[in-house]
């Protein structure tokens, strides 16, 4: 029998050719694989959110296999002895079942919860990066708005998920949600009654939240994330200004292989971090909270961190009740409905507000260093200060207890801080930006400080500056134009020292040759003398 | 009003004198009045002046006498002589019982360092024996709740339901201040409910019985001794002994506050450094 000859080297080529002949995939795939992404660490923050969303989907699917979203009463008869015989809902009993009897269930639950916290945390820091670098400017306003809606959806997903186990803490959260609905004038009771199917808590809410948590909200998140990433693809990623980088090009790495490999590695890192946290740190020990009873409210009952700002606003609100005829507006209405509504929807319109204010209608594909737009930084600092004070006030009882501060003092510090600190943050950050700007211009005009002090014949001391560009006939540097990117401010940035060896644990590349000045021989790492006190 | 009232009687005696009594009768009357007056004066004196007996040493036991010595050295400034209290300084200790002393002195809360929102737990100033003596003294001074003898933690081998019942009672009665995990919590104006991590069964029992600092009293009518023991069992077995699954660190059991800190301090910091590392590779 004649052996067929297989040319292994030809095999991938023929296979790929076969695929292309059938699906015409080569052209779009080539465009995709050759797509260039700019590379900077701060562009990876959004990916943390994307990857934690993937972890949420994976762990969430696992949890749905064992979770029973039913509020019918049952007497617990599981492995956890401290609740055995206690009357509870099926939802809580099955959450306990996941925690104690399903193999790997507790780990999956904790991964799901940590991934949720990480999802929201990375959304916030990603949003901060977008904001402070002006990446939301034309043509990317819509993507900013989508990002804000993603935060809001994440907020809702987190809240519904927090409520599902039907434990003591989640029931307390639900009670607050129902109180917020009830605080709406006129329609409040109707809304609450329709959502809970009657009086709180009713027998429907877990089932309703379940379908919202596993289908509606993730569906919305998935759709909007696709649009979010699609727009990044279509509009191309922004990049920092710098050599060779203009408003009309993209300098970076091709999608394949380098960028894809880096992203794959980063996904593994995110997955690993979440798994590490889920294995090391206990989160939401529902077995200690017991089944939800309206009469049991623990101290230190807080929502997850991304809802805490709302809780903080509620805690800081003075007790001002407004009566209009037969109706009343309870104080809760202002922070929880007006405050939350304004804080989550207002920022959506920021790109248009800024464009209108500055009259800037140009397309911006280059980022702006924060210092180059002090006013934006000031407003961002103001918003974040407000958010942080509100969030800290959401946990002010824990802070008061653990740092031995009076709770009343914490409340008043929050109230006063909320009014005083944001303007202060605005002023300080604007001053810092202006100072940094000025220093950049100064270095461009006069050169880098060398640290060499020279004494002039008349006794005056001056510091010698190293010009960054050409000099005029007197040896004075000709002022340089600011390019919107980092200005070298230290001598070793312009090659005075041996360049630092790159690499985390060991060198990954040969150190570049430092430019050699005839007057100053290059300094290598080991030829430096140890500086001693001179005494032996 | 009948005439058999003291006033009526007095009136009758008075009216009889209006007549002309014989000499013998007068003398006899004088003698009777004299005896009656003496008896009255002596009786009133005996009734209203017990000072002669108060100066006598109380029938204190030897232990209580030792306790009195300690009391007169360390406690008298604020709680006053014989535990009667000093206005604006310290409350009366009449009727607080030895359980209260076991709690306050045994955990180092008393003697207090300074007057503040609440006495802080610190290194006890008196050893176990001295605390017992002080307790005995206060007990003999005015009575009050005492710690029961016997085991305060239920045996779960014999009574396995005690744990779940204790948990239920703990969540109903204790968590609103001490929190689900027994990590403690803030009250108004610098007052607080302490963490229960290092509380001994005796301390917890005494606290429930006497309501120290800002804690309400859970007398035997509110929580029977059996229920108190069940709560102690839950705290001991479930919250103190390491029975809490879900990782090496429970982040203090302060709920979402510390979890929120952890996601930024551990999660975000780790991943930002990873991002710096990955983006730095070119």
């Amino acid at each position: 029998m004649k052996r067929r000859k297989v040319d292994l080297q030809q095999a991938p080529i023929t296979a790929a050719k076969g695929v292309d002949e059938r699906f015409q995939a080569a052209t779009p795939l080539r465009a995709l694989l050759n797509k260039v992404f700019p590379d900077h660490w701060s562009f990876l923050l959004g990916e943390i959110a994307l990857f934690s969303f993937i972890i949420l989907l994976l762990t969430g699917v696992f949890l749905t296999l064992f979770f029973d979203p039913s509020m019918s009463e049952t007497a617990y008869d599981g492995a956890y002895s401290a609740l055995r015989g206690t009357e509870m809902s099926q939802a809580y009993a099955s959450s306990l079942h996941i925690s104690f009897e399903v193999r790997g269930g507790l780990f999956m639950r904790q991964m799901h919860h940590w991934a949720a916290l990480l999802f929201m945390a990375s959304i916030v820091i990603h949003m901060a990066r977008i904001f402070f670098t002006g990446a939301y400017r034309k043509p990317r306003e819509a993507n900013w708005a989508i990002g804000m809606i993603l935060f809001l959806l994440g907020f809702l997903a987190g809240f519904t998920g927090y409520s599902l186990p039907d434990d003591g803490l989640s029931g307390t959260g639900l009670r607050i949600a129902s109180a917020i609905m009830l605080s709406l004038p006129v329609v409040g009771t109707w809304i609450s009654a329709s959502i809970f199917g009657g009086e709180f808590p009713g027998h429907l809410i877990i089932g309703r939240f379940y379908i919202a948590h596993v289908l509606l909200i993730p569906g919305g998140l998935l759709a909007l994330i696709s649009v979010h990433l699609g727009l990044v693809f279509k509009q191309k990623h922004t990049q920092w200004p710098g050599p060779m980088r203009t408003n009309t090009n993209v300098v970076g790495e091709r999608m394949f292989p380098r960028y894809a490999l880096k992203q794959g590695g980063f996904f593994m890192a995110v997955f690993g971090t979440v798994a590490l946290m889920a294995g090391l740190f206990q989160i939401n020990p529902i077995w200690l909270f017991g089944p939800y009873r309206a009469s049991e409210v623990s101290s230190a009952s807080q929502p997850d961190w991304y809802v805490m700002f709302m809780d903080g606003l509620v805690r800081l609100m003075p007790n001002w009740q407004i009566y209009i005829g037969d109706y009343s507006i309870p104080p809760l209405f202002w922070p929880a409905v007006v405050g939350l509504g304004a804080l989550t929807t207002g920022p959506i319109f920021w790109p248009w507000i800024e464009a209108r204010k500055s009259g800037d209608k140009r397309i911006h594909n280059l980022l702006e260093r924060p210092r180059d737009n002090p006013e934006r930084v000031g407003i961002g600092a103001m918003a974040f200060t407000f958010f942080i004070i509100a969030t800290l006030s959401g946990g002010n009882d824990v802070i008061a207890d653990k740092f031995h501060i009076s709770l009343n003092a914490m409340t008043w510090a929050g109230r006063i801080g909320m009014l005083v600190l944001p303007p202060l943050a605005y002023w300080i950050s604007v001053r810092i930006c202006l100072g940094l700007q000025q220093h950049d211009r100064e270095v461009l005009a006069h050169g880098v400080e060398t640290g060499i002090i020279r004494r002039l014949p008349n006794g005056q001391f001056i510091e010698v500056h190293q010009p960054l560009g050409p000099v005029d006939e007197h040896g004075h540097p000709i002022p340089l134009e600011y390019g919107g990117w980092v200005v070298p401010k230290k001598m070793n940035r312009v090659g005075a020292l041996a360049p630092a060896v790159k690499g985390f644990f060991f060198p990954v590349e040969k150190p570049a040759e430092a430019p050699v000045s005839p007057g100053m021989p290059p300094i290598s790492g080991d030829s430096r003398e140890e500086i001693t006190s001179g005494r032996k | 009003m009948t005439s058999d009232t003291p006033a009526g009687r007095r009136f009758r005696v008075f009216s009889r004198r209006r007549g002309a009594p014989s000499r013998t009768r007068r003398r006899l009357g004088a003698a009777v009045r004299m005896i009656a007056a003496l008896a009255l004066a002596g009786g009133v004196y005996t009734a209203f002046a017990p000072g002669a007996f108060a100066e006598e040493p109380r029938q204190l036991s030897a232990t209580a006498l030792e306790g009195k010595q300690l009391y007169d050295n360390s406690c008298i400034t604020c709680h006053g002589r014989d535990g009667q209290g000093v206005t604006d300084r310290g409350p009366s200790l009449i009727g607080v019982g030895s359980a209260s002393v076991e709690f306050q002195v045994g955990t180092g809360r008393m003697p207090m360092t300074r007057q503040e929102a609440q006495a802080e737990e610190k290194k006890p100033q008196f050893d176990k024996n001295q605390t017992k003596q002080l307790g005995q003294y206060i007990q003999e001074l005015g009575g009050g709740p005492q710690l029961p003898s016997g085991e305060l933690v239920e045996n779960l081998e014999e009574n396995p339901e005690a744990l779940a019942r204790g948990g239920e009672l703990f969540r109903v009665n204790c968590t609103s201040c001490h929190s689900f995990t027994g990590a403690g919590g803030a009250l108004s104006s610098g007052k607080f409910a302490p963490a229960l991590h290092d509380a001994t069964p005796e301390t917890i029992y005494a606290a429930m019985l006497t309501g120290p600092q800002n804690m309400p009293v859970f007398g035997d009518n509110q929580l029977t001794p059996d229920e108190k023991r069940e709560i102690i069992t839950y705290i001991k077995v479930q919250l103190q002994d390491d029975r809490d699954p879900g990782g090496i660190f429970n982040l203090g059991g302060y709920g979402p506050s510390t979890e929120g800190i952890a996601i930024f301090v551990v999660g975000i910091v780790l991943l930002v450094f990873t991002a710096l590392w990955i983006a730095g590779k070119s």
Side-chain angles (χ1 to χ4, degrees), chain A residues 41 80 82-84 86 110 258 262 279-280 282 284 287 289 293 296-299 302-303 397 402 406 408 504, chain B residues 164 168 171-172 175-177 179-180 183 189 238 244-250 254 256-257 259 277-278 281:
Chain A
W41 68 269
Y80 185 65
L83 283 171
R84 210 170 281 156
T86 309
Q110 301 210 127
R258 289 193 67 108
K262 277 188 172 189
L280 288 179
Q282 180 193 65
N284 204 24
W287 50 91
F289 303 158
R293 307 244 194 283
E296 296 168 10
V297 178
S298 167
S299 69
Q302 260 102 18
D397 57 331
K402 300 312 157 199
S406 158
N408 308 42
F504 203 70
Chain B
E168 189 81 47
R171 286 190 295 274
V172 172
T175 54
S176 50
C177 300
S179 98
F180 284 130
S189 303
Q238 212 57 44
D244 200 11
I248 300 173
F249 309 104
N250 68 0
Y254 304 139
S257 313
E259 291 161 9
W277 179 53
I278 286 183
K281 302 267 174 204

Side-chain angles (χ1 to χ4, degrees), chain B residues 207-269:
Chain B
M208 286 192 275
L209 213 50
T210 62
Q213 321 290 347
N214 295 290
M215 182 166 160
V217 174
F218 292 92
D220 285 349
N221 291 332
Q222 283 106 337
L223 290 172
T224 64
D226 276 342
E227 289 175 331
K228 287 197 179 79
R229 272 194 285 273
E230 283 162 5
I231 289 179
I232 290 170
T233 310
Y234 180 77
I235 295 173
K236 189 91 196 115
V237 173
Q238 212 57 44
L239 301 181
Q240 293 184 346
D241 300 350
D242 194 22
R243 289 277 185 94
D244 200 11
I248 300 173
F249 309 104
N250 68 0
L251 301 175
Y254 304 139
S257 313
T258 40
E259 291 161 9
I261 293 170
I263 197 64
F264 279 95
V265 170
V266 181
I268 290 293
V269 165

Side-chain angles (χ1 to χ4, degrees), chain B:
Chain B
M1 196 183 183
T2 62
S3 61
D4 203 28
T5 59
R9 252 181 269 135
R10 209 157 48 237
F11 183 74
R12 278 206 305 276
V13 169
F14 202 66
S15 63
R16 221 175 278 144
R17 261 216 305 208
R18 287 268 163 90
S22 70
R23 191 190 186 95
T24 336
R25 205 184 158 95
R26 264 199 339 259
R27 291 223 172 121
L28 197 66
V32 168
R33 278 198 295 278
M34 181 65 183
I35 290 163
L38 280 173
L40 188 73
V44 167
Y45 180 79
T46 334
F48 288 102
F53 296 99
E55 290 307 310
E56 294 281 308
R58 267 173 199 280
Q59 293 306 303
L60 290 177
S61 63
T63 325
L65 274 173
E66 299 270 348
K68 184 173 162 54
Q69 289 272 313
L70 295 168
Y71 180 91
D72 288 347
N73 273 333
S74 302
C75 320
I76 199 164
T77 321
C78 297
H79 291 295
R81 209 160 184 220
D82 296 323
Q84 294 185 0
V86 178
T87 316
D88 294 336
R89 234 189 263 167
S92 161
L93 298 182
I94 303 299
V96 299
S98 65
S100 189
V101 179
E102 299 261 340
F103 180 87
Q104 305 279 7
V105 179
T107 60
R109 285 179 169 83
M110 291 290 155
M112 236 173 148
T113 317
R114 59 184 168 270
Q115 296 281 352
E116 55 189 332
Q118 188 166 320
E120 296 266 1
E121 187 176 359
K122 56 183 178 290
K123 194 172 163 290
Q125 306 295 301
F126 296 104
D127 62 26
K128 260 201 152 51
N129 194 30
Q130 289 171 320
T131 310
K132 275 261 174 311
Q133 291 166 349
L134 271 171
Q136 188 61 32
Y137 173 59
I138 297 297
Q139 188 67 34
E140 290 183 18
L141 214 53
Q146 280 174 287
L147 278 183
S149 54
E151 196 55 50
L152 294 178
V153 181
E154 296 277 348
N155 186 348
L156 289 176
E157 300 281 304
E158 293 166 14
N159 188 4
E161 296 97 57
L163 189 61
R165 271 206 304 275
E168 189 81 47
L169 290 164
F170 180 79
R171 286 190 295 274
V172 172
N173 293 293
C174 316
T175 54
S176 50
C177 300
H178 291 286
S179 98
F180 284 130
T181 54
L187 304 173
S188 62
S189 303
K191 295 173 246 172
F192 61 94
L196 302 176
H197 302 315
D198 55 352
T200 62
E202 288 75 25
T203 320
I204 302 170
Y205 200 102
M208 286 192 275
L209 213 50
T210 62
Q213 321 290 347
N214 295 290
M215 182 166 160
V217 174
F218 292 92
D220 285 349
N221 291 332
Q222 283 106 337
L223 290 172
T224 64
D226 276 342
E227 289 175 331
K228 287 197 179 79
R229 272 194 285 273
E230 283 162 5
I231 289 179
I232 290 170
T233 310
Y234 180 77
I235 295 173
K236 189 91 196 115
V237 173
Q238 212 57 44
L239 301 181
Q240 293 184 346
D241 300 350
D242 194 22
R243 289 277 185 94
D244 200 11
I248 300 173
F249 309 104
N250 68 0
L251 301 175
Y254 304 139
S257 313
T258 40
E259 291 161 9
I261 293 170
I263 197 64
F264 279 95
V265 170
V266 181
I268 290 293
V269 165
L270 261 178
L271 288 171
V272 164
F273 274 104
T274 315
L276 278 165
W277 179 53
I278 286 183
K281 302 267 174 204
S282 54

